[in-house]
Amino acid sequence: MDFVARVIDALPMQEGVSSRGNQWRKGEWIVETFGPYPKKVKLTVFGSRLDNVHLEMGKVYTLSVDLESREYNGRWYTDVNCFAARETEEPPVNGGIPAYTPPQSVAAPAGQAPGQDPFAAPATPGAVFEDNSDDLPF
């Protein structure tokens, strides 16, 4: 999964030795996504991937991540493990989603002017249904 985000914080590097005697290290960063509802996400880069993933404060990256959840003592925890990052530009304000433009080759439905919003309310009450009785089908 890929997404674009800005690095807003770097947590201290952690190192240790596993129960089997192997050295390990991990780095964690807080990034903030773009769009109408920005989200803060904690990324983890573990082991030898730290040699390939270099994140700097304030820069914008396209991040490739794996999501993984695990259960511990009846509670669930989710990890966002980053395995690649490439510096990129900040996305447009609307998140890069183009505005909707209806196809030009499609004819307008009967009773509707071309270019008119198909979801707009009828101009006059009763214009759609000729029968205005209060008989309901149920």
Side-chain angles (χ1 to χ4, degrees):
M1 172 180 176
D2 291 348
F3 66 96
V4 177
R6 179 186 314 279
V7 178
I8 60 172
D9 196 8
L11 302 177
M13 188 71 64
Q14 299 177 23
E15 298 180 26
V17 179
S18 71
S19 59
R20 293 184 177 176
N22 298 324
Q23 293 276 347
W24 62 268
R25 60 189 178 128
K26 83 173 175 178
E28 297 177 318
W29 288 266
I30 308 299
V31 299
E32 187 169 39
T33 64
F34 295 94
Y37 305 104
K39 305 284 188 238
K40 291 184 175 80
V41 178
K42 182 184 82 165
L43 297 177
T44 301
V45 181
F46 196 80
S48 63
R49 290 184 176 165
L50 281 167
D51 299 331
N52 300 328
V53 177
H54 304 284
L55 301 175
E56 295 180 33
M57 293 286 293
K59 291 194 175 181
V60 178
Y61 295 92
T62 298
L63 302 161
S64 299
V65 300
D66 285 328
L67 303 176
E68 183 178 6
S69 295
R70 66 191 187 301
E71 184 267 337
Y72 179 73
N73 288 340
R75 298 195 59 178
W76 283 89
Y77 300 90
T78 300
D79 292 323
V80 181
N81 299 310
C82 182
F83 60 87
R86 62 187 180 281
E87 195 170 344
T88 187
E89 295 180 11
E90 188 171 321
V93 174
N94 68 352
I97 301 170
Y100 174 75
T101 54
Q104 299 300 320
S105 62
V106 177
Q112 181 179 341
Q116 181 182 3
D117 182 4
F119 300 106
T124 58
V128 174
F129 301 106
E130 303 263 336
D131 183 15
N132 288 332
S133 67
D134 289 335
D135 293 337
L136 299 176
F138 51 109

PDB file of all heavy atoms in Angstrom, residues 2-3 6 13 15 29 31 33 48 65 67 72-73 89 94 96 104 109 115 121 128-131:
ATOM      1  N   ASP A   2       0.567   2.214  -0.829  1.00  0.00           N
ATOM      2  CA  ASP A   2       1.338   3.445  -0.907  1.00  0.00           C
ATOM      3  C   ASP A   2       0.469   4.634  -0.518  1.00  0.00           C
ATOM      4  O   ASP A   2      -0.727   4.655  -0.820  1.00  0.00           O
ATOM      5  CB  ASP A   2       1.851   3.673  -2.324  1.00  0.00           C
ATOM      6  CG  ASP A   2       2.917   2.676  -2.728  1.00  0.00           C
ATOM      7  OD1 ASP A   2       3.434   1.941  -1.877  1.00  0.00           O
ATOM      8  OD2 ASP A   2       3.238   2.645  -3.926  1.00  0.00           O
ATOM      9  N   PHE A   3       1.074   5.629   0.128  1.00  0.00           N
ATOM     10  CA  PHE A   3       0.397   6.891   0.394  1.00  0.00           C
ATOM     11  C   PHE A   3       1.433   7.987   0.524  1.00  0.00           C
ATOM     12  O   PHE A   3       2.619   7.737   0.706  1.00  0.00           O
ATOM     13  CB  PHE A   3      -0.517   6.809   1.632  1.00  0.00           C
ATOM     14  CG  PHE A   3       0.199   6.611   2.939  1.00  0.00           C
ATOM     15  CD1 PHE A   3       0.517   7.689   3.756  1.00  0.00           C
ATOM     16  CD2 PHE A   3       0.540   5.336   3.380  1.00  0.00           C
ATOM     17  CE1 PHE A   3       1.159   7.504   4.970  1.00  0.00           C
ATOM     18  CE2 PHE A   3       1.176   5.142   4.588  1.00  0.00           C
ATOM     19  CZ  PHE A   3       1.490   6.229   5.392  1.00  0.00           C
ATOM     20  N   ARG A   6       3.813  13.811   5.014  1.00  0.00           N
ATOM     21  CA  ARG A   6       4.930  14.654   5.447  1.00  0.00           C
ATOM     22  C   ARG A   6       5.414  14.147   6.798  1.00  0.00           C
ATOM     23  O   ARG A   6       4.613  13.858   7.683  1.00  0.00           O
ATOM     24  CB  ARG A   6       4.475  16.099   5.572  1.00  0.00           C
ATOM     25  CG  ARG A   6       5.588  17.042   6.057  1.00  0.00           C
ATOM     26  CD  ARG A   6       5.101  18.461   6.314  1.00  0.00           C
ATOM     27  NE  ARG A   6       4.265  19.006   5.267  1.00  0.00           N
ATOM     28  CZ  ARG A   6       4.708  19.537   4.123  1.00  0.00           C
ATOM     29  NH1 ARG A   6       6.000  19.593   3.895  1.00  0.00           N
ATOM     30  NH2 ARG A   6       3.874  20.005   3.229  1.00  0.00           N
ATOM     31  N   MET A  13      15.706   6.176  18.118  1.00  0.00           N
ATOM     32  CA  MET A  13      16.057   4.865  17.581  1.00  0.00           C
ATOM     33  C   MET A  13      16.118   3.860  18.732  1.00  0.00           C
ATOM     34  O   MET A  13      16.591   4.184  19.824  1.00  0.00           O
ATOM     35  CB  MET A  13      17.426   4.949  16.892  1.00  0.00           C
ATOM     36  CG  MET A  13      17.843   3.727  16.136  1.00  0.00           C
ATOM     37  SD  MET A  13      16.916   3.450  14.630  1.00  0.00           S
ATOM     38  CE  MET A  13      17.361   4.868  13.671  1.00  0.00           C
ATOM     39  N   GLU A  15      17.351  -0.087  19.933  1.00  0.00           N
ATOM     40  CA  GLU A  15      18.241  -1.194  19.602  1.00  0.00           C
ATOM     41  C   GLU A  15      18.217  -2.204  20.733  1.00  0.00           C
ATOM     42  O   GLU A  15      17.882  -1.868  21.867  1.00  0.00           O
ATOM     43  CB  GLU A  15      19.673  -0.696  19.407  1.00  0.00           C
ATOM     44  CG  GLU A  15      19.850   0.277  18.276  1.00  0.00           C
ATOM     45  CD  GLU A  15      21.287   0.729  18.120  1.00  0.00           C
ATOM     46  OE1 GLU A  15      22.205  -0.028  18.511  1.00  0.00           O
ATOM     47  OE2 GLU A  15      21.485   1.837  17.616  1.00  0.00           O
ATOM     48  N   TRP A  29       8.778   6.947  12.987  1.00  0.00           N
ATOM     49  CA  TRP A  29       8.505   8.316  12.585  1.00  0.00           C
ATOM     50  C   TRP A  29       7.000   8.551  12.628  1.00  0.00           C
ATOM     51  O   TRP A  29       6.209   7.635  12.403  1.00  0.00           O
ATOM     52  CB  TRP A  29       8.996   8.573  11.164  1.00  0.00           C
ATOM     53  CG  TRP A  29      10.478   8.639  11.044  1.00  0.00           C
ATOM     54  CD1 TRP A  29      11.255   9.756  11.093  1.00  0.00           C
ATOM     55  CD2 TRP A  29      11.375   7.547  10.854  1.00  0.00           C
ATOM     56  NE1 TRP A  29      12.576   9.429  10.948  1.00  0.00           N
ATOM     57  CE2 TRP A  29      12.672   8.070  10.803  1.00  0.00           C
ATOM     58  CE3 TRP A  29      11.203   6.172  10.728  1.00  0.00           C
ATOM     59  CZ2 TRP A  29      13.795   7.283  10.632  1.00  0.00           C
ATOM     60  CZ3 TRP A  29      12.319   5.381  10.561  1.00  0.00           C
ATOM     61  CH2 TRP A  29      13.600   5.933  10.515  1.00  0.00           C
ATOM     62  N   VAL A  31       4.134  10.613  10.674  1.00  0.00           N
ATOM     63  CA  VAL A  31       3.870  11.316   9.422  1.00  0.00           C
ATOM     64  C   VAL A  31       2.425  11.797   9.431  1.00  0.00           C
ATOM     65  O   VAL A  31       1.588  11.271  10.178  1.00  0.00           O
ATOM     66  CB  VAL A  31       4.135  10.423   8.187  1.00  0.00           C
ATOM     67  CG1 VAL A  31       5.587   9.986   8.139  1.00  0.00           C
ATOM     68  CG2 VAL A  31       3.221   9.216   8.159  1.00  0.00           C
ATOM     69  N   THR A  33      -0.781  12.635   6.771  1.00  0.00           N
ATOM     70  CA  THR A  33      -1.285  12.491   5.412  1.00  0.00           C
ATOM     71  C   THR A  33      -1.898  13.810   4.948  1.00  0.00           C
ATOM     72  O   THR A  33      -2.091  14.734   5.743  1.00  0.00           O
ATOM     73  CB  THR A  33      -2.348  11.375   5.336  1.00  0.00           C
ATOM     74  OG1 THR A  33      -3.470  11.744   6.137  1.00  0.00           O
ATOM     75  CG2 THR A  33      -1.782  10.046   5.791  1.00  0.00           C
ATOM     76  N   SER A  48      17.304  -4.291   8.726  1.00  0.00           N
ATOM     77  CA  SER A  48      18.154  -3.843   7.624  1.00  0.00           C
ATOM     78  C   SER A  48      17.455  -2.843   6.715  1.00  0.00           C
ATOM     79  O   SER A  48      18.118  -2.155   5.930  1.00  0.00           O
ATOM     80  CB  SER A  48      18.627  -5.045   6.806  1.00  0.00           C
ATOM     81  OG  SER A  48      17.515  -5.690   6.226  1.00  0.00           O
ATOM     82  N   VAL A  65       4.078   0.743   2.464  1.00  0.00           N
ATOM     83  CA  VAL A  65       3.940   0.137   3.783  1.00  0.00           C
ATOM     84  C   VAL A  65       3.191  -1.184   3.719  1.00  0.00           C
ATOM     85  O   VAL A  65       2.456  -1.459   2.773  1.00  0.00           O
ATOM     86  CB  VAL A  65       3.208   1.090   4.768  1.00  0.00           C
ATOM     87  CG1 VAL A  65       3.963   2.389   4.942  1.00  0.00           C
ATOM     88  CG2 VAL A  65       1.790   1.363   4.316  1.00  0.00           C
ATOM     89  N   LEU A  67       0.594  -3.311   6.358  1.00  0.00           N
ATOM     90  CA  LEU A  67      -0.203  -3.194   7.574  1.00  0.00           C
ATOM     91  C   LEU A  67      -0.329  -4.576   8.196  1.00  0.00           C
ATOM     92  O   LEU A  67      -0.564  -5.560   7.495  1.00  0.00           O
ATOM     93  CB  LEU A  67      -1.594  -2.641   7.250  1.00  0.00           C
ATOM     94  CG  LEU A  67      -1.638  -1.299   6.533  1.00  0.00           C
ATOM     95  CD1 LEU A  67      -3.070  -0.932   6.190  1.00  0.00           C
ATOM     96  CD2 LEU A  67      -0.994  -0.221   7.369  1.00  0.00           C
ATOM     97  N   TYR A  72      -2.633  -9.363  21.656  1.00  0.00           N
ATOM     98  CA  TYR A  72      -1.819  -9.591  22.847  1.00  0.00           C
ATOM     99  C   TYR A  72      -2.698  -9.329  24.060  1.00  0.00           C
ATOM    100  O   TYR A  72      -3.241  -8.239  24.221  1.00  0.00           O
ATOM    101  CB  TYR A  72      -0.598  -8.651  22.843  1.00  0.00           C
ATOM    102  CG  TYR A  72       0.288  -8.815  24.057  1.00  0.00           C
ATOM    103  CD1 TYR A  72       1.099  -9.920  24.202  1.00  0.00           C
ATOM    104  CD2 TYR A  72       0.281  -7.857  25.066  1.00  0.00           C
ATOM    105  CE1 TYR A  72       1.917 -10.081  25.309  1.00  0.00           C
ATOM    106  CE2 TYR A  72       1.084  -7.999  26.185  1.00  0.00           C
ATOM    107  CZ  TYR A  72       1.893  -9.111  26.314  1.00  0.00           C
ATOM    108  OH  TYR A  72       2.682  -9.266  27.412  1.00  0.00           O
ATOM    109  N   ASN A  73      -2.875 -10.341  24.882  1.00  0.00           N
ATOM    110  CA  ASN A  73      -3.709 -10.244  26.094  1.00  0.00           C
ATOM    111  C   ASN A  73      -5.114  -9.726  25.813  1.00  0.00           C
ATOM    112  O   ASN A  73      -5.639  -8.878  26.520  1.00  0.00           O
ATOM    113  CB  ASN A  73      -3.043  -9.358  27.151  1.00  0.00           C
ATOM    114  CG  ASN A  73      -1.855 -10.038  27.791  1.00  0.00           C
ATOM    115  OD1 ASN A  73      -1.733 -11.258  27.743  1.00  0.00           O
ATOM    116  ND2 ASN A  73      -0.978  -9.259  28.388  1.00  0.00           N
ATOM    117  N   GLU A  89       6.618  15.435  -4.281  1.00  0.00           N
ATOM    118  CA  GLU A  89       6.051  16.754  -4.066  1.00  0.00           C
ATOM    119  C   GLU A  89       4.746  16.634  -3.293  1.00  0.00           C
ATOM    120  O   GLU A  89       4.076  15.602  -3.332  1.00  0.00           O
ATOM    121  CB  GLU A  89       5.784  17.440  -5.404  1.00  0.00           C
ATOM    122  CG  GLU A  89       7.040  17.733  -6.195  1.00  0.00           C
ATOM    123  CD  GLU A  89       6.741  18.405  -7.516  1.00  0.00           C
ATOM    124  OE1 GLU A  89       5.586  18.836  -7.729  1.00  0.00           O
ATOM    125  OE2 GLU A  89       7.655  18.494  -8.333  1.00  0.00           O
ATOM    126  N   ASN A  94      -6.875  19.310  -3.343  1.00  0.00           N
ATOM    127  CA  ASN A  94      -8.003  18.379  -3.386  1.00  0.00           C
ATOM    128  C   ASN A  94      -7.558  16.929  -3.364  1.00  0.00           C
ATOM    129  O   ASN A  94      -8.347  16.036  -3.622  1.00  0.00           O
ATOM    130  CB  ASN A  94      -8.886  18.649  -4.608  1.00  0.00           C
ATOM    131  CG  ASN A  94      -8.191  18.314  -5.914  1.00  0.00           C
ATOM    132  OD1 ASN A  94      -7.003  18.016  -5.943  1.00  0.00           O
ATOM    133  ND2 ASN A  94      -8.930  18.362  -6.999  1.00  0.00           N
ATOM    134  N   GLY A  96      -5.513  15.512  -5.384  1.00  0.00           N
ATOM    135  CA  GLY A  96      -5.247  14.984  -6.714  1.00  0.00           C
ATOM    136  C   GLY A  96      -6.456  14.353  -7.363  1.00  0.00           C
ATOM    137  O   GLY A  96      -6.358  13.751  -8.414  1.00  0.00           O
ATOM    138  N   GLN A 104     -19.420  14.015 -22.620  1.00  0.00           N
ATOM    139  CA  GLN A 104     -20.129  14.868 -23.567  1.00  0.00           C
ATOM    140  C   GLN A 104     -20.958  14.061 -24.560  1.00  0.00           C
ATOM    141  O   GLN A 104     -21.925  14.558 -25.109  1.00  0.00           O
ATOM    142  CB  GLN A 104     -19.134  15.751 -24.324  1.00  0.00           C
ATOM    143  CG  GLN A 104     -18.353  16.670 -23.414  1.00  0.00           C
ATOM    144  CD  GLN A 104     -19.247  17.622 -22.641  1.00  0.00           C
ATOM    145  OE1 GLN A 104     -20.214  18.146 -23.175  1.00  0.00           O
ATOM    146  NE2 GLN A 104     -18.936  17.824 -21.375  1.00  0.00           N
ATOM    147  N   PRO A 109     -31.263  12.326 -20.391  1.00  0.00           N
ATOM    148  CA  PRO A 109     -32.514  11.568 -20.292  1.00  0.00           C
ATOM    149  C   PRO A 109     -33.697  12.406 -20.759  1.00  0.00           C
ATOM    150  O   PRO A 109     -33.650  13.639 -20.762  1.00  0.00           O
ATOM    151  CB  PRO A 109     -32.632  11.252 -18.801  1.00  0.00           C
ATOM    152  CG  PRO A 109     -31.250  11.420 -18.259  1.00  0.00           C
ATOM    153  CD  PRO A 109     -30.586  12.424 -19.122  1.00  0.00           C
ATOM    154  N   GLY A 115     -26.632  18.972 -19.909  1.00  0.00           N
ATOM    155  CA  GLY A 115     -25.839  19.709 -18.941  1.00  0.00           C
ATOM    156  C   GLY A 115     -26.551  19.964 -17.621  1.00  0.00           C
ATOM    157  O   GLY A 115     -25.968  20.464 -16.685  1.00  0.00           O
ATOM    158  N   ALA A 121     -33.702  18.549  -8.035  1.00  0.00           N
ATOM    159  CA  ALA A 121     -35.148  18.394  -7.847  1.00  0.00           C
ATOM    160  C   ALA A 121     -35.871  18.926  -9.078  1.00  0.00           C
ATOM    161  O   ALA A 121     -35.389  19.829  -9.765  1.00  0.00           O
ATOM    162  CB  ALA A 121     -35.593  19.167  -6.608  1.00  0.00           C
ATOM    163  N   VAL A 128     -42.676  15.402 -12.385  1.00  0.00           N
ATOM    164  CA  VAL A 128     -42.221  14.055 -12.701  1.00  0.00           C
ATOM    165  C   VAL A 128     -43.401  13.088 -12.739  1.00  0.00           C
ATOM    166  O   VAL A 128     -43.516  12.271 -13.630  1.00  0.00           O
ATOM    167  CB  VAL A 128     -41.162  13.582 -11.675  1.00  0.00           C
ATOM    168  CG1 VAL A 128     -40.791  12.140 -11.916  1.00  0.00           C
ATOM    169  CG2 VAL A 128     -39.930  14.472 -11.750  1.00  0.00           C
ATOM    170  N   PHE A 129     -44.289  13.162 -11.755  1.00  0.00           N
ATOM    171  CA  PHE A 129     -45.430  12.251 -11.656  1.00  0.00           C
ATOM    172  C   PHE A 129     -46.718  13.015 -11.908  1.00  0.00           C
ATOM    173  O   PHE A 129     -46.975  14.028 -11.276  1.00  0.00           O
ATOM    174  CB  PHE A 129     -45.477  11.602 -10.266  1.00  0.00           C
ATOM    175  CG  PHE A 129     -44.235  10.813  -9.946  1.00  0.00           C
ATOM    176  CD1 PHE A 129     -43.297  11.309  -9.046  1.00  0.00           C
ATOM    177  CD2 PHE A 129     -43.986   9.603 -10.552  1.00  0.00           C
ATOM    178  CE1 PHE A 129     -42.157  10.599  -8.759  1.00  0.00           C
ATOM    179  CE2 PHE A 129     -42.847   8.891 -10.268  1.00  0.00           C
ATOM    180  CZ  PHE A 129     -41.932   9.384  -9.361  1.00  0.00           C
ATOM    181  N   GLU A 130     -47.503  12.512 -12.818  1.00  0.00           N
ATOM    182  CA  GLU A 130     -48.773  13.155 -13.149  1.00  0.00           C
ATOM    183  C   GLU A 130     -49.809  12.854 -12.070  1.00  0.00           C
ATOM    184  O   GLU A 130     -50.665  13.668 -11.793  1.00  0.00           O
ATOM    185  CB  GLU A 130     -49.259  12.629 -14.507  1.00  0.00           C
ATOM    186  CG  GLU A 130     -48.247  12.847 -15.618  1.00  0.00           C
ATOM    187  CD  GLU A 130     -48.553  14.076 -16.415  1.00  0.00           C
ATOM    188  OE1 GLU A 130     -49.716  14.494 -16.437  1.00  0.00           O
ATOM    189  OE2 GLU A 130     -47.621  14.602 -17.037  1.00  0.00           O
ATOM    190  N   ASP A 131     -49.764  11.666 -11.462  1.00  0.00           N
ATOM    191  CA  ASP A 131     -50.748  11.252 -10.467  1.00  0.00           C
ATOM    192  C   ASP A 131     -50.297  11.705  -9.091  1.00  0.00           C
ATOM    193  O   ASP A 131     -49.331  11.211  -8.551  1.00  0.00           O
ATOM    194  CB  ASP A 131     -50.894   9.726 -10.510  1.00  0.00           C
ATOM    195  CG  ASP A 131     -51.969   9.226  -9.546  1.00  0.00           C
ATOM    196  OD1 ASP A 131     -52.768  10.045  -9.067  1.00  0.00           O
ATOM    197  OD2 ASP A 131     -51.966   8.010  -9.287  1.00  0.00           O
TER     198      ASP A 131
END
